[in-house]
Amino acid sequence: MRLLFVSMSALALTACGLNGTDRDEDDEAAVASPGDDNLADAMRSHDPATGEQFADAIADPEQRPIMQLQVVLDRAGFAPGVVDGRMGFSTTNAIKALQESLSIAITGQVDEPTRQALARWNNIPATRVVTIPAEWASQTYAAIPDSAEDQAKMDRLGYESLDERLAERFHTTVDVLHELNPGGRPAGAPGATASSTLPTPPPTPAASAADAAPVSLFRPGQQIRVPNLGGDAVGRDAAGNSVWRDTLVSLGVGSTQPDAARITVDESDKLLRVYDANDRLIAAFTVSSGSSNDPLPIGEWGINGVARNPPFAYQPDLFWDVPDNAEDLHMPPGPNGPVGVVWIDLTKEHYGIHGTPEPQTIGRAQSHGCVRLTNWDAARLAGMVSGSTKVVFQP
């Protein structure tokens, strides 16, 4: 996406010395129980010890081997994109990247060497049952209008429904959550069938009657089955910003990430690779990058800084498919904003690496030249990079 990013967060990047953080002067004290250094929500992962088996209150009636593979890949840092239990382009990309990191044959298949490498994760199941926290009832959900003009009038481009927020929390889609919870009950629970019904949930708060949120299948206090994502520990010092801590919690992304010395984006396989100071491949994410009208800018670049939860300056003259006489707009922040929850500003003017409101399109749809990731992968990458990270875009 070719754009000119203008925001208070971007201005703060200079003040913080390009160290990959921005500052929030309205920082609030995080709420946690005394002595609890993990601020992740009550739905965080609780893994069995090595050699022990996971015991869930409601056993999953299905094995879901592909979803289990995706869960393990995501935990290992080789993101499969949307965790949906289906073998697709992003999952194959993740397998290849894992194999590359292990210096074994790159087949894109779970062959015997790959199976052996993943054996230590065998006691991590594909799904787990969680209870939606009661505090999720206080979140405001509102429909996002189609037009940019109407979006610019909103205070925040937040989630449209509790279901959508849950989907991002567990790196999946609303449809997959509904599949895992037929009739609104966890698969394996008594009465969990697609034809069963639940009592009508109370309406979620909306900005106004005109902005009523889509109807949710789920509600706070309800038990649901979700992909068994982990690595979601969030510390009190996450970016020094309570608003960003809340974002990490909401995305199920841990606040401790490895340091990236170099990242590459390959246009051919739509893969962003992350290398440490020893040039070891430590993470990889499928991306959308460029198009025939706005190709990926091949070359070596640097990082000016990272804007978290950024607003967005919409300037039509920077978009080939928008009339230049269209009105400039200031879009509010939020996970459903044009750049999602993160903007990593590059030394190539008007270009960056960012999130998206449409995670299911990553690796499929083209971009306006920038590099797009899912919001959860963008948040994870934001914790890895700094002003010293080198960026290489290659064919």
Side-chain angles (χ1 to χ4, degrees):
M1 181 174 292
R2 299 201 63 187
L3 53 90
L4 181 60
F5 178 78
V6 180
S7 75
M8 293 304 294
S9 295
L11 295 176
L13 292 172
T14 302
C16 69
L18 304 181
N19 66 354
T21 64
D22 56 357
R23 301 295 178 185
D24 184 352
E25 296 179 356
D26 295 323
D27 192 27
E28 301 173 357
V31 177
S33 59
D36 186 1
D37 290 329
N38 186 358
L39 303 183
D41 60 30
M43 298 185 291
R44 65 194 188 216
S45 58
H46 296 279
D47 295 336
T50 302
E52 295 182 356
Q53 293 301 310
F54 181 84
D56 209 344
I58 303 173
D60 193 337
E62 297 186 32
Q63 292 296 315
R64 309 184 199 277
I66 297 177
M67 182 172 287
Q68 196 272 346
L69 170 65
Q70 292 174 327
V71 163
V72 169
L73 289 168
D74 188 285
R75 286 165 171 257
F78 299 93
V82 169
V83 176
D84 58 6
R86 299 170 178 86
M87 184 63 73
F89 175 78
S90 295
T91 301
T92 300
N93 251 0
I95 295 171
K96 289 180 177 179
L98 174 71
Q99 292 168 333
E100 181 182 345
S101 75
L102 298 172
S103 299
I104 60 178
I106 301 174
T107 64
Q109 303 292 323
V110 184
D111 48 26
E112 188 55 32
T114 306
R115 190 173 291 107
Q116 292 178 11
L118 297 174
R120 67 188 181 93
W121 301 94
N122 285 348
N123 66 339
I124 301 297
T127 68
R128 68 175 184 266
V129 173
V130 301
T131 301
I132 303 171
E135 57 265 27
W136 278 41
S138 63
Q139 174 75 44
T140 297
Y141 304 102
I144 305 296
D146 292 333
S147 75
E149 291 80 4
D150 289 337
Q151 291 179 20
K153 297 174 184 177
M154 300 183 73
D155 294 328
R156 188 171 184 272
L157 294 173
Y159 294 116
E160 293 192 284
S161 67
L162 184 146
D163 291 16
E164 183 188 25
R165 184 183 177 193
L166 279 167
E168 290 243 312
R169 170 64 177 84
F170 293 102
H171 305 182
T172 189
T173 66
V174 171
D175 287 345
V176 170
L177 286 183
H178 288 182
E179 291 172 9
L180 292 175
N181 298 274
R185 293 177 172 85
T193 64
S195 60
S196 61
T197 59
L198 285 171
T200 302
T204 51
S208 69
D211 296 326
V215 175
S216 292
L217 179 64
F218 308 119
R219 60 185 183 274
Q222 182 177 340
Q223 281 190 315
I224 65 167
R225 186 172 298 284
V226 298
N228 189 21
L229 273 300
D232 48 4
V234 176
R236 294 175 181 273
D237 60 347
N241 181 326
S242 68
V243 177
W244 182 243
R245 285 196 296 268
D246 289 345
T247 300
L248 293 178
V249 170
S250 187
L251 291 171
V253 172
S255 58
T256 300
Q257 300 293 339
D259 293 332
R262 176 172 66 97
I263 64 177
T264 65
V265 176
D266 278 34
E267 193 171 39
S268 58
D269 58 12
K270 300 181 181 179
L271 195 64
L272 185 153
R273 294 172 171 86
V274 183
Y275 298 87
D276 65 12
N278 296 317
D279 210 34
R280 183 173 63 97
L281 180 62
I282 56 174
F285 309 98
T286 293
V287 301
S288 292
S289 60
S291 67
S292 57
N293 290 286
D294 288 300
L296 185 72
I298 305 302
E300 297 185 8
W301 313 104
I303 294 177
N304 289 325
V306 178
R308 295 169 169 84
N309 293 313
F312 173 72
Y314 177 73
Q315 293 189 301
D317 61 327
L318 297 178
F319 294 83
W320 67 268
D321 52 353
V322 179
D324 289 350
N325 61 356
E327 181 183 0
D328 288 4
L329 299 170
H330 185 79
M331 313 293 284
N336 271 317
V339 296
V341 301
V342 166
W343 170 264
I344 299 174
D345 194 46
L346 301 180
T347 53
K348 172 65 174 175
E349 189 177 13
H350 306 321
Y351 285 84
I353 302 171
H354 60 85
T356 181
E358 300 290 344
Q360 72 280 1
T361 66
I362 296 300
R364 300 188 180 103
Q366 295 180 325
S367 76
H368 280 84
C370 287
V371 176
R372 262 191 300 130
L373 302 88
T374 64
N375 277 333
W376 53 87
D377 287 343
R380 195 169 184 174
L381 181 64
M384 299 179 181
V385 301
S386 69
S388 63
T389 303
K390 297 179 180 178
V391 180
V392 180
F393 290 167
Q394 48 201 34

